[in-house]
Amino acid sequence: MINECVHERSVSRLVSRNSELSDSLKAHISQCENCTRKYNILCHENSVLKENVSSYKSNFEIKETLSREVELIVERYAEKSKRDARVLKNNSFGSLNHNVLAFVKRLTQPISLILMLFVGALYFLTL
Amino acid sequence: MEVSTVSEFISDKCFHFTHFLVEDELQASQLVFDVLQSFLIESPSALSRVESTGFRNDFYSRIYKLAKTRRDHFKMSESVDLSGRAAFFLVYEHRLSIGEVAKITTTPEDQVLLKVVHARSQILKDNNNVEKFRTSL
Ligand SMILES: [Zn+2]
């Protein structure tokens, strides 16, 4: 039965987090049988984890296909948004403020003033 | 919004995370597209913040939630703790804080680290070389 070393916990904590080991701990590991064993196991575990996680990365082919598809989706969406905005603008009755102002503006045009005078004159003639 | 930045983020980081969760290439691609579509419908302006941490975490959170909803469809074994795998990946690969991971996976903060450790040892357990290496020393 191998006795545990007090430094094993530090080795375990630092190596499993991929943290930098201090020079004194490195020196201890090289001299302590327990810590050397622990260190080697943890490094091996880290390489297994790294390989496992990396195996799920997109390879060149997948990345190309995904990028193309994403660009298409985003561009299609941008076009649709533009089209919707145009339709909304054409079909919109506008705001009340905007409509009142446009109406008043049209009333002050010469043709409107002549028409108003004409209607007014007709009204007085019928009295 | 830079379309190329969005597509780089999705085809690289998002696919990697999703593939790790669902373990099937096709399902992972479909899931990523579906999350992008939902983002475009709900908050399209947010895509302009594609480089911000908040945006990225929101995206990871949507991926995790959709994967969880579809886990029966993926024929995922019931023994797989999806939140644990997600937590492990986000801590190990993206070095996210426990608080961020807790939010993304809707897991109480005090359980995140336990889940990470468990998912880590599960991966090691599934790899035959680990035990062989241990005993060879
Ligand atoms: Zn030692």
Side-chain angles (χ1 to χ4, degrees):
Chain A
M1 176 87 188
I2 309 164
N3 290 326
E4 274 200 16
C5 167
V6 284
H7 298 296
E8 272 186 50
R9 274 173 168 263
S10 309
V11 175
S12 181
R13 187 168 40 84
L14 293 169
V15 180
S16 60
R17 284 184 193 169
N18 262 341
S19 305
E20 194 67 35
L21 302 177
S22 67
D23 289 341
S24 58
L25 194 57
K26 276 182 198 164
H28 169 77
I29 291 170
S30 65
Q31 290 158 9
C32 169
E33 206 184 313
N34 282 348
C35 288
T36 304
R37 186 173 182 273
K38 187 89 194 168
Y39 180 76
N40 287 336
I41 289 174
L42 286 165
C43 285
H44 181 251
E45 285 181 355
N46 274 356
S47 70
V48 167
L49 291 171
K50 196 174 176 188
E51 201 186 301
N52 180 283
V53 172
S54 299
S55 69
Y56 294 98
K57 264 192 178 158
S58 48
N59 59 34
F60 181 75
E61 203 185 322
I62 293 178
K63 209 172 162 182
E64 284 283 290
T65 316
L66 284 174
S67 299
R68 254 200 322 272
E69 191 69 27
V70 168
E71 277 163 26
L72 266 177
I73 292 175
V74 175
E75 275 161 16
R76 218 179 294 146
Y77 175 82
E79 263 173 40
K80 190 183 171 293
S81 306
K82 257 190 224 162
R83 220 172 30 240
D84 288 352
R86 252 201 322 267
V87 169
L88 200 71
K89 201 178 163 196
N90 291 342
N91 292 346
S92 145
F93 291 110
S95 68
L96 182 65
N97 235 354
H98 177 86
N99 287 343
V100 169
L101 275 175
F103 179 70
V104 172
K105 209 171 163 189
R106 254 178 261 133
L107 281 183
T108 58
Q109 281 173 0
I111 183 75
S112 301
L113 289 172
I114 292 167
L115 272 172
M116 276 197 293
L117 277 173
F118 181 70
V119 172
L122 272 179
Y123 177 74
F124 278 112
L125 280 174
T126 52
L127 282 178
Chain B
M1 168 207 359
E2 273 292 328
V3 179
S4 58
T5 320
V6 176
S7 83
E8 172 69 24
F9 169 62
I10 289 171
S11 59
D12 187 29
K13 293 198 162 55
C14 290
F15 178 82
H16 192 190
F17 177 49
T18 317
H19 193 200
F20 184 80
L21 285 185
V22 306
E23 301 192 61
D24 179 281
E25 241 171 53
L26 282 177
Q27 307 276 21
S29 308
Q30 190 55 51
L31 201 144
V32 162
F33 291 147
D34 291 344
V35 170
L36 174 65
Q37 301 268 22
S38 78
F39 223 107
L40 286 170
I41 292 166
E42 287 169 36
S43 48
S45 57
L47 278 181
S48 58
R49 294 185 284 108
V50 68
E51 275 162 301
S52 75
T53 312
F55 171 88
R56 293 187 172 214
N57 290 356
D58 187 11
F59 221 97
Y60 295 141
S61 170
R62 284 170 190 251
I63 287 172
Y64 166 70
K65 279 176 194 145
L66 196 57
K68 203 172 139 195
T69 313
R70 290 185 184 171
R71 68 173 295 161
D72 293 336
H73 182 65
F74 297 145
K75 297 187 179 74
M76 199 179 280
S77 159
E78 275 186 29
S79 62
V80 174
D81 175 20
L82 205 62
S83 61
R85 267 182 89 76
F88 167 77
F89 184 90
L90 296 170
V91 169
Y92 182 88
E93 185 68 14
H94 295 312
R95 310 229 161 244
L96 295 194
S97 69
I98 298 296
E100 286 175 301
V101 175
K103 255 191 214 162
I104 293 170
T105 58
T106 55
T107 306
E109 276 195 34
D110 58 347
Q111 285 179 29
V112 172
L113 204 58
L114 276 177
K115 280 178 179 277
V116 171
V117 172
H118 187 259
R120 182 184 188 278
S121 55
Q122 193 60 47
I123 295 170
L124 296 171
K125 213 169 109 188
D126 291 344
N127 188 299
N128 299 327
N129 293 331
V130 176
E131 203 41 50
K132 267 187 214 160
F133 183 81
R134 239 179 239 260
T135 46
S136 76
L137 290 177

